[in-house]
Amino acid sequence: MTLKQIRAFLAVAQSLSFAVACERLHLSQSALSLTIKALEEGLGGRLFSRNTRNVALTPEGESLLPLARRLVADWDNAEDEMRQRFTLQRGRVTLAAMPSFAGNLLPPILKTFRARYPNVNVTVNDVINEQVLEMVRDRHVELGVAFEPMQSSSLAFTPLYLDRFVAVVPLDSPLAQRSEIQWQTLLEQPFITLQRPSTVRVMLEEHLQSRGMKLPVEFESHQLATVGRMVASGLGVSAVPALCVGQMHELGARCITLSDPVIERAIGVLTKPGHELSAAAQALFDTLRDQDIGAQLTTR
């Protein structure tokens, strides 16, 4: 059965008139008759009993009528839904982002996205950097926001901005009065950091090791929020990406520019090569790319 045949059958069955059905479908009498004949031959029997005066449904035609109505309704609904998805009148997109980005920079971006596409729903998975890569690679999400992966990664990376690590110190620390701190000075204090295999932890250790320095780790945590609270409580100091500055200030700590060495890493959008994004995901990707995130960080 084809959709054209089903629509022709419904037009005749509902009007019980080939002439009326021809007008509704804008078909000639011969074209409609051939369409109904092809449907009947395909199914194996007559759907209508007709003579020069009357047209009536056969028992098989009566059985097909509710099925045909449902088939056409489902088709029309599917067609309408897909059209709405392509025009972003509805839809859903899934995103994975490391918690530091999801909790600090993503909300205002999603507000912009919602203003543009109010009927598109967004699911955010705030997971550690390594899980972001894994979820994109396994196609559990269409988009990921994370640090630039190693060159061996099989994922496509579109940079959004370059993030620089800053020092985090207690408000009552003598270091809090400075406008800039060198790493060597910061490392003289008890250090609080994320636990391995955190990308932030690995990045810091690799950069410092290349300079002959080592993190004097005394406290570790899985969450940057906990690190910030520990610093605010006076347990030590830390270093976090600049995107966390607002969060650290809210927790009661102070962030200061770090130098010698400057440690920075690109943050961007991850996608899986060879897999076209849905219309909703592409719209969110464009919204992320259009944001001047670097400027937002400098105004904090």
Side-chain angles (χ1 to χ4, degrees):
M1 293 186 296
T2 67
L3 182 63
K4 178 182 178 181
Q5 291 172 342
I6 292 297
R7 290 193 188 279
F9 166 77
L10 280 176
V12 178
Q14 291 167 350
S15 64
L16 294 179
S17 167
F18 273 73
V20 173
C22 286
E23 292 180 6
R24 289 181 182 176
L25 298 173
H26 305 289
L27 291 175
S28 66
Q29 183 92 20
S30 60
L32 178 59
S33 296
L34 287 173
T35 300
I36 295 298
K37 182 180 179 182
L39 176 61
E40 291 177 328
E41 289 178 349
L43 293 177
R46 291 192 307 149
L47 299 172
F48 297 100
S49 60
R50 48 194 181 272
N51 52 42
T52 55
R53 295 184 177 182
N54 298 309
V55 175
L57 285 164
T58 64
E60 290 76 16
E62 293 280 2
S63 298
L64 178 60
L65 182 57
L67 299 176
R69 284 174 173 156
R70 188 161 66 246
L71 284 170
V72 170
D74 288 345
W75 177 272
D76 290 342
N77 289 338
E79 188 176 35
D80 183 59
E81 179 174 336
M82 293 309 301
R83 187 176 292 109
Q84 289 184 38
R85 287 181 180 274
F86 278 119
T87 58
L88 296 173
Q89 297 177 48
R90 66 182 301 177
R92 176 178 295 278
V93 57
T94 55
L95 168 78
M98 49 188 180
S100 52
F101 186 90
N104 292 284
L105 298 182
L106 186 58
I109 296 174
L110 290 181
K111 185 176 181 180
T112 299
F113 181 78
R114 173 49 61 93
R116 295 175 181 173
Y117 312 107
N119 297 318
V120 177
N121 296 327
V122 181
T123 299
V124 178
N125 298 271
D126 50 341
V127 294
I128 62 174
N129 192 87
E130 294 73 22
Q131 287 180 291
V132 174
L133 274 65
E134 182 180 331
M135 293 184 77
V136 176
R137 190 179 297 115
D138 295 341
R139 300 187 66 191
H140 293 154
V141 297
E142 290 191 85
L143 302 173
V145 179
F147 288 108
E148 183 175 10
M150 303 299 291
Q151 292 183 353
S152 59
S153 172
S154 60
L155 301 176
F157 178 79
T158 303
L160 296 176
Y161 72 103
L162 200 61
D163 201 305
R164 175 175 175 170
F165 277 82
V166 297
V168 188
V169 302
L171 290 177
D172 58 0
S173 168
L175 297 176
Q177 307 307 315
R178 301 191 183 189
S179 59
E180 185 173 314
I181 303 175
Q182 292 187 342
W183 266 102
Q184 192 60 57
T185 302
L186 186 69
L187 296 179
E188 294 172 357
Q189 307 293 318
F191 205 86
I192 306 167
T193 186
L194 293 173
Q195 292 179 325
R196 295 189 185 94
S198 162
T199 298
V200 170
R201 170 75 173 270
V202 173
M203 284 169 49
L204 291 179
E205 289 182 329
E206 288 180 349
H207 278 81
L208 294 176
Q209 187 176 7
S210 68
R211 295 293 191 95
M213 303 182 200
K214 186 178 180 180
L215 291 178
V217 178
E218 294 198 14
F219 295 95
E220 300 174 277
S221 172
H222 278 299
Q223 300 293 334
L224 278 171
T226 304
V227 170
R229 291 191 182 93
M230 287 182 176
V231 173
S233 298
L235 292 174
V237 299
S238 187
V240 300
L243 64 89
C244 302
V245 168
Q247 182 183 18
M248 295 297 113
H249 288 171
E250 291 175 0
L251 294 170
R254 173 162 165 70
C255 294
I256 304 171
T257 300
L258 262 174
S259 62
D260 195 24
V262 171
I263 301 178
E264 53 190 10
R265 185 81 169 269
I267 290 178
V269 183
L270 294 164
T271 55
K272 190 171 178 64
H275 296 276
E276 186 172 347
L277 296 176
S278 66
Q282 184 64 53
L284 181 55
F285 178 91
D286 294 340
T287 303
L288 285 163
R289 190 176 51 187
D290 292 344
Q291 302 300 302
D292 190 354
I293 298 176
Q296 294 178 30
L297 290 176
T298 58
T299 58
R300 292 190 173 208

